[in-house]
């Protein structure tokens, strides 16, 4: 793969490359440069004639051999000439900077009246030269149409020399872009002179100060010059920046500088394609890619041997409570964790390698003696009892915990360094820091020590910072210039009153923890108020009164208690042991969270212990989400806070009995109250954050388990075939199930090729008894099946109509006895079975069929046919289909609450599941070279990643496109093979990349087709030799003749693989452990299995049929929670009779209202009460998940009983009193407003509130509408329509000309200016019209799908990559539905601004101007912006 394959097109040079070239020394154009302003090129000036003469002379000199052309020069000579040119250009720039400009001379003249300026003689003739290309670019101004365009500036534009109004430098970045768009006004001579004067004042000062020669010309004496230098410096402070700028210019002008990708693409594009320098570093570093990415923030952290041992214990302690193993396995478990950690860090083995090839270290095996077997004297005298200690998910946890431990050590090291710096400037020994910091095992505990350090020694830390600053930049800053409130207390007399409390904060916490000897509180001899008034405490500067001193002392002691790491440890332990969670609704949540709202199940939730939350992690996450939305307040409190506080007071107070002791104890209790207030805030914030993180981790792990279950499916197993055989598939789909749509189908071979596809329109079976013939496509379908002989027929779709197609196909297969391919049964007889029709999980196909990848692979197929292709491939290999989704895998639902988690956290867990399954199955490396779907598995192979996978394929293609042995992957200089991976990466991935064994290939090694790692090939060959009972001479002869793999090859060719079952592997394992200290018992079992059946299919059989609940959700979009018995839902009536009504739910489920469930109004016939296509509210009596139908009720008594979710709560877990009070409060408000429930006969009418309307429209498409009652009265309606995902606009509709209060007005008015005659006209001409405008906006090239912040970041990145360009973009405004942000940035240094764009029927509105389409809107914006800038200039 070449670089050009990675980009859409190769970089093209701009037009300026063909325009003109410039002399390196003079900057004048060379021969061939364009010299005309017109097309004929006849206009030229004298300078160009001179250039032509010079060029002709130079060419003649070259021809005569006097001058060597640069192309003919030697590289050394060319380099020397290049350096001379750079040196000459730099000297010219310095000479220009040494010349005084006009303002400098004016200023010197004002300071020295005796100085006379020398008037430079003006040349008689002026030559007009064309500047360098860069100057040429700066001189050309771009019009309004070009400033915000995507096209580069036209470098062919001629120079225009006209009188422009001067502008300030800071305006030029914006206004130069509009210079030619609007003509400037003409000014008279006086006004022009005034403009020139303004320009002279505003002209920026040139870089640097005048040179020596120029200063001598000023006539100033040396003393005056010295004063000037002292005031303004020597002028060389920024020489480094000028030199850097000169180097950059030289690089830009160097014609031999190679064109790099970063010169062609924007940084964001390179980052998306993984082509940045950092990506290349990862690609070529011999370390597993996932390890490089994960450990990047902690590269600087180097663990000592003691810290490494500590880490093993720390991780084991973190994992042990979740394992549930017997206590006697605690020590073996710790050793297993330490060993796994060693493999990861020291050996850099990834999780799949450790699990596959170091499995013996993860198992605890015990030999249990058994009685000898008299009939088998060679039998073992023991039984081996093995316990799995560390599973594969545990290894991923160890990997994550290693990163957390490194972060912990990094912070501890930083604090150690800070503490050492404090000790370096003054003697210091703090037992709290020296004891607590090494013992800190969580980030919270380290943070506690950090808070204590910065509180206790803030002044010293500032002194250290000042000292370091002075050493760094040479500037001296007075230490301790700013003191905090507590520093003033600590450094003054007031601290004597703090000491008088009789106990330190650390001793107080130590008493609570029961550590060491108990510290008793001592009382002073005087009362606290008397001591506060004493001279030993009063400080005239900061605390002049006793009340001030006492208040300060209490605040100081309370802060010391709150900052004590030991006290925080006490509080944290108490909160986790006795804390409970309460949920309180807010005023906003009172109305918004009704009984149908998903948050209602915790609206009045109380007294939830942490163990309860651990069992329902998604519940707590939803509570936190509701708190973010301002609907509830989640509070954490101590269950028995008063008892806990009493225990604290007992440890803080003194035991003395006196008036003085009572006074001091009163003050101590006040201090404790102050301290507990702060500690409670700290603890609650930390506990909630930790609980949220842990709940997120649990939900993420649940997503991983579910994804692993779906990945762990072998291909659909054809009848009579071995597990793992790829089936041939016919897949069909009727899409949305519309009767007008055809049934699309595709035939997919075992190798994934789509050989045939088509459409069926009528697959209905006839009825011979009634004389009804089969549908016209039944015979075509039967012929297709009989001709192609598929192994299975797959069906799926987007609606419940799919189940009808499934039943039709089953009936056709049964009636026509359609059978699959023949196979041999156990008796060797040919046999075939009736074809199976299966409903296929389509979650991958839904994402695939409209993707760019599908269009690239099958450009000529319809989207629904591509959907069928994806269904067939899912049946052939689910793992491949999931892996091909890459980052889109996050779009699949694995847990009801996964949307509450950050995407990166879910993605990280899903990736681990993919890595596990892909490495369990292995990848045929030669198949990956030719098959993109197989190549998509390579990034998940152990040791690889997306960068290393592409590099691997590229290297293999350079080596010839075929891999013969695993050893070739590390390169073979003798054979001219380039290394595809480094040794460490190869060690990780070798056993998971297999090469199909070919007996006809002499160099083929059977073990390269197995899960056996090359490091264990000798063991496999030894086992094969022992199984064949070959002696050493036979082995040597066989190896010398046929190579190292000859023994295994002989075992396979002779068909003697089963003989390895006779080997006693325990003896092999004991010898390896004794002689080489290698545990290989599990590895030997793997070798034995692989010698018999290489890369045996280990996945579970294909899940068929998929569960009823999965089919129900797939075809309806509903779950058991979102749709169940007792719910009242809107239904559309399809058929109305006197004894029953047929209806359809919004999700597509068919419903029937039987006679007994019809309304009990006998005076009005059913057909007069209801009509076809009418939408009514019905209650679900029974829901058939398998048959996808429901029984409904329209009885008024049933509809009056709303659905309420059954919640199993303890008595003290639900605040029923508050719930009842809120219901009464809401009822009173409804009674006051006098609202009456309206019912309107319209298919879009729903008796919803705003929240329910948004929830209903959530699964609908843009422009879908809900008409609902309005809270503003009976003369108003509310219309809610979906603008975008999670963005809904609520429109107030005023009804005029109403016949009565319940009828719809004959005139409907919106916003006082839009009127419509009925609801249908309003929907079509107002809502749908705005929806079309939203579609037009979102499909426009300038629309950004991200948030406003994302769009602004994109604008900033774009202008940084294109400093001379201005850019704008649109994005949606979710806060104000119906509005968009127009974000723009007029140049690199300009600020990002935004204007609101309103969508109105048939137009866009910007700055009170309406534009009919996006083109007019963009042009109008440019005009408005230009006018605004012109107004600023005037």
């Amino acid at each position: 793969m070449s670089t050009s394959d990675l980009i859409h097109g190769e970089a093209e040079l701009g037009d300026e490359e063909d325009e003109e070239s410039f002399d390196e020394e003079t900057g004048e154009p060379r021969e061939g440069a364009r010299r005309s302003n017109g097309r004929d090129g006849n206009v030229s000036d004298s300078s160009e004639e001179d250039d032509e003469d010079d060029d002709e002379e130079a060419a003649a000199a070259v021809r005569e051999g006097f001058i060597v052309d640069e192309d003919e020069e030697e590289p050394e000579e060319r380099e020397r000439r290049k350096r001379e040119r750079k040196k000459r250009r730099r000297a010219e720039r310095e000479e220009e900077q040494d010349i005084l400009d006009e303002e400098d001379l004016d200023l010197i003249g004002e300071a020295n009246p005796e100085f006379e300026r020398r008037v430079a003689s003006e040349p008689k003739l002026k030559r007009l030269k064309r500047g360098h290309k860069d100057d040429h670019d700066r001189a050309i101004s771009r019009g309004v149409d070009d400033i915000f365009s995507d096209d580069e500036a036209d470098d062919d534009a001629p120079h225009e020399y006209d009188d422009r109004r001067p502008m300030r430098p800071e305006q030029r970045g914006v206004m130069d872009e509009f210079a030619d768009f609007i003509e400037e006004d003409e000014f008279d001579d006086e006004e022009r002179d005034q403009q020139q004067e303004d320009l002279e004042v505003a002209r920026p000062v040139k870089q640097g100060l005048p040179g020596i020669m120029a200063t001598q010309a000023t006539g100033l004496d040396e003393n005056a010059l010295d004063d000037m230098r002292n005031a303004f410096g020597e002028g060389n402070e920024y020489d480094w920046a000028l030199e850097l700028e000169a180097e950059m210019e030289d690089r830009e002008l160097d014609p031999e500088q190679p064109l790099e990708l970063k010169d062609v693409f924007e940084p964001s594009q390179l980052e998306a394609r993984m082509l940045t320098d950092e990506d290349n570093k990862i690609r070529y570093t011999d370390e597993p890619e996932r390890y490089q990415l994960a450990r990047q923030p902690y590269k600087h952290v180097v663990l000592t041997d003691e810290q490494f041992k500590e880490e093993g214990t720390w991780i084991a302690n973190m994992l042990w409570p979740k394992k549930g193993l017997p206590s006697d396995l605690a020590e073996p478990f710790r050793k297993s964790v330490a060993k796994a950690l060693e493999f990861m860090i020291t050996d850099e083995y990834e999780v799949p390698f450790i699990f596959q090839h170091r499995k013996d270290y993860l198992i605890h095996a015990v030999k249990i003696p058994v009685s000898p077997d008299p009939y088998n004297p060679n039998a073992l005298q023991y039984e081996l009892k093995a316990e799995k200690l560390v599973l594969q998910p545990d290894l991923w946890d160890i990997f994550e915990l290693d990163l957390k431990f490194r972060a912990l050590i990094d912070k501890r090291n930083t604090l150690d360094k800070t503490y050492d710096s404090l000790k370096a400037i003054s003697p210091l020994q703090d037992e709290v820091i020296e004891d607590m910091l090494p013992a800190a095992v969580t980030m919270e505990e380290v943070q506690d020590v950090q808070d204590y350090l910065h509180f206790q020694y803030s002044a010293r830390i500032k002194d250290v910072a000042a000292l370091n600053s002075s050493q760094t930049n040479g500037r001296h800053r007075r230490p301790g210039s700013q003191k905090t409130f507590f520093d003033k207390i600590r450094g003054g007399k007031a601290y004597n009153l703090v000491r008088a409390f009789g106990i330190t904060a650390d001793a107080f916490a130590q008493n609570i923890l029961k550590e060491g000897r108990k510290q008793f509180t001592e009382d002073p001899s005087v009362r606290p108020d008397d001591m506060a008034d004493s001279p030993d405490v009063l400080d005239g500067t900061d605390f002049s009164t006793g009340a001030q001193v006492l208040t300060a002392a209490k605040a100081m002691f309370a802060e010391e208690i709150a900052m004590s790491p030991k006290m925080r440890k006490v509080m944290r332990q108490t909160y986790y042991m006795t804390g409970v969670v309460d949920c309180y609704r807010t005023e906003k949540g009172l109305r918004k969270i009704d009984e149908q709202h998903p948050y209602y199940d915790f609206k009045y939730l109380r007294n939830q212990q942490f163990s309860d939350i651990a069992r329902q992690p998604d519940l707590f996450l939803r509570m936190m989400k509701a708190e973010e939305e301002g609907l509830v307040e989640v509070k954490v409190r101590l269950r028995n806070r008063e008892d806990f506080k009493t225990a604290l007071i007992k440890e803080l107070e003194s035991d003395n009995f006196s008036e003085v002791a009572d006074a001091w104890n009163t003050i101590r209790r006040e201090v404790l109250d102050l301290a507990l207030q702060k500690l409670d805030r700290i603890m609650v914030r930390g506990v909630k954050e930790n609980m949220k993180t842990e709940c997120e981790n649990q939900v993420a792990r649940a997503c991983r388990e579910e994804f692993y279950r779906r990945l762990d499916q072998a291909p659909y197993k054809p009848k009579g075939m071995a597990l793992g055989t790829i089936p041939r598939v016919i897949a069909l789909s009727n899409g949305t199930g519309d009767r007008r749509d055809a049934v699309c189908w595709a035939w997919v071979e075992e190798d994934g090729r789509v050989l045939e596809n088509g459409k069926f329109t009528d697959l209905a079976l006839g009825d011979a008894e009634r004389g009804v013939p089969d549908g016209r496509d039944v015979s075509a379908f039967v012929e297709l099946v009989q001709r192609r002989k598929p192994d299975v027929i797959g069906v799926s779709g987007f609606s419940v109509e799919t189940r009808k197609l499934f039943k039709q196909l089953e009936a056709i297969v049964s009636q026509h006895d359609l059978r699959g391919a023949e196979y041999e049964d156990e008796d060797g007889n040919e046999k075939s079975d009736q074809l199976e029709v299966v409903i296929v999980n389509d979650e991958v196909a839904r994402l695939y069929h409209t993707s760019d990848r599908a269009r690239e692979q099958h450009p000529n197929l319809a989207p629904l046919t591509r959907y069928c292709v994806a269904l067939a491939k899912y049946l052939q290999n689910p793992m491949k289909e999931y892996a091909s989704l890459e980052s889109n895998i996050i779009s699949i639902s694995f847990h009801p609450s996964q949307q509450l988690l950050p995407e990166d956290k879910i993605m990280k867990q899903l990736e681990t599941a993919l890595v596990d399954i892909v490495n369990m199955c292995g990848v045929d490396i030669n198949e990956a070279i030719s098959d993109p779907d197989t190549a998509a598995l390579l990034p998940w192979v152990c040791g690889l990643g997306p960068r290393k996978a592409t590099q691997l394929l590229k290297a293999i293609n350079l080596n010839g496109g075929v891999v013969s042995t695993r050893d070739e992957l590390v390169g073979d200089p003798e054979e001219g093979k380039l290394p595809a991976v480094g040794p460490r990466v190869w060690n990780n991935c070798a056993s998971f990349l297999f090469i199909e064994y070919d007996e006809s290939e002499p160099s083929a090694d059977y073990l390269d087709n197995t899960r056996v790692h090359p490091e264990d090939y000798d063991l496999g060959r030894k086992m094969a030799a022992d199984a064949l009972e070959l002696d050493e001479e036979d082995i040597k002869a066989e190896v010398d003749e046929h190579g190292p793999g000859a023994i295994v090859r002989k075992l396979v060719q002779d068909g003697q693989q089963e003989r390895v079952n006779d080997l006693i592997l325990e003896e092999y394992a004991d010898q390896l452990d004794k002689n080489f200290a290698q545990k290989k018992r599990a590895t030997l079992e793997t070798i034995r299995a692989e010698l018999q059946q290489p890369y045996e299919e280990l996945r579970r059989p294909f899940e068929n049929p998929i569960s009823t609940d999965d089919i129900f959700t797939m075809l309806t979009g509903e779950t058991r929670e979102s749709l169940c018995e007792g719910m009242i839902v809107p239904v559309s009536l399809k058929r109305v009779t006197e004894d029953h009504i047929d209806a359809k739910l919004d999700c597509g489920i068919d419903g029937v209202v039987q006679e007994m469930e019809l309304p009990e109004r006998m005076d009005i016939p059913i057909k007069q009460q209801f009509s076809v296509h009418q939408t009514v509210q019905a209650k679900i009596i029974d829901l058939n998940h398998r048959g996808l139908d429901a029984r409904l009720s329209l009885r008024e008594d049933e509809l009056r009983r709303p659905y309420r979710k059954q919640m199993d709560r303890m008595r003290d877990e639900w605040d029923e009193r508050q719930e009842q009070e809120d219901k009464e409060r809401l009822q009173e408000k409804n009674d006051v407003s006098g609202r009456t429930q309206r019912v309107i006969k319209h298919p879009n009418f729903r008796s919803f509130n705003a929240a329910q309307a948004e929830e209903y429209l959530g699964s609908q498409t843009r422009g879908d509408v809900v008409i609902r009652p309005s809270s503003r009265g009976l003369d108003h309606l509310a219309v809610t329509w979906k603008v975008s995902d999670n963005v809904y606009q609520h429109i107030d509709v005023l009804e005029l000309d109403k016949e009565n209060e319940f009828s719809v007005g004959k005139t409907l008015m919106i916003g006082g200016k839009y009127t419509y005659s009925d609801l249908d006209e309003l929907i079509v001409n107002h809502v749908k019209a705005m929806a079309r405008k939203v579609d037009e906006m979102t499909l426009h090239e300038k629309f950004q799908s991200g948030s406003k912040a994302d769009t602004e970041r994109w604008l900033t990145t774009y202008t940084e990559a294109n400093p001379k360009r201005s850019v704008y973009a649109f994005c949606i405004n979710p806060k104000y539905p119906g509005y968009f942000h127009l974000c723009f940035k007029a140049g690199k240094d300009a600020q990002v601004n935004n204007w609101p764009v309103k969508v109105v029927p048939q137009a866009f509105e910007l700055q009170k101007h309406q534009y009919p389409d996006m083109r007019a809107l963009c042009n109008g914006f440019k005009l408005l912006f230009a006018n605004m800038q012109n107004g600023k200039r005037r």
Side-chain angles (χ1 to χ4, degrees), residues 997-1012:
Y997 178 64
D998 184 1
E999 292 185 2
S1000 62
E1001 182 65 36
S1003 62
D1005 193 331
Y1006 180 85
L1007 293 176
D1008 282 342
N1009 190 34
T1010 67
R1011 292 184 173 90
V1012 181

Side-chain angles (χ1 to χ4, degrees), residues 115-127:
F115 168 70
E116 295 182 2
R117 288 179 51 181
R118 183 175 61 190
V119 181
S121 61
E122 193 169 337
K124 295 180 180 180
L125 298 176
K126 296 182 180 179
R127 293 181 62 189

Side-chain angles (χ1 to χ4, degrees), residues 300-345:
H300 60 286
V301 180
V302 179
L303 301 181
T304 64
D305 292 340
E306 292 183 358
Q307 289 173 338
F308 187 76
K309 292 179 182 178
E310 179 190 355
E311 181 179 7
T313 304
W314 183 81
I315 294 178
N317 293 338
M318 298 289 285
L319 295 177
W320 177 252
K322 304 174 184 178
K323 292 298 294 181
L325 295 172
S327 57
D328 60 324
L329 294 178
E331 183 59 23
F333 177 75
R334 187 194 64 77
K335 291 181 179 179
S336 292
V337 169
K339 198 64 181 176
L341 197 60
E342 179 185 339
F343 292 142
M344 290 181 183
I345 297 175

Side-chain angles (χ1 to χ4, degrees), residues 202-228:
R203 184 170 54 186
V205 179
K206 293 181 179 179
Q207 295 177 342
L209 289 178
I212 298 298
M213 298 301 294
T215 56
Q216 290 177 353
T218 63
L220 298 177
D221 58 14
E222 189 64 28
N223 293 332
L225 289 174
D226 289 340
D227 293 339
M228 185 180 69

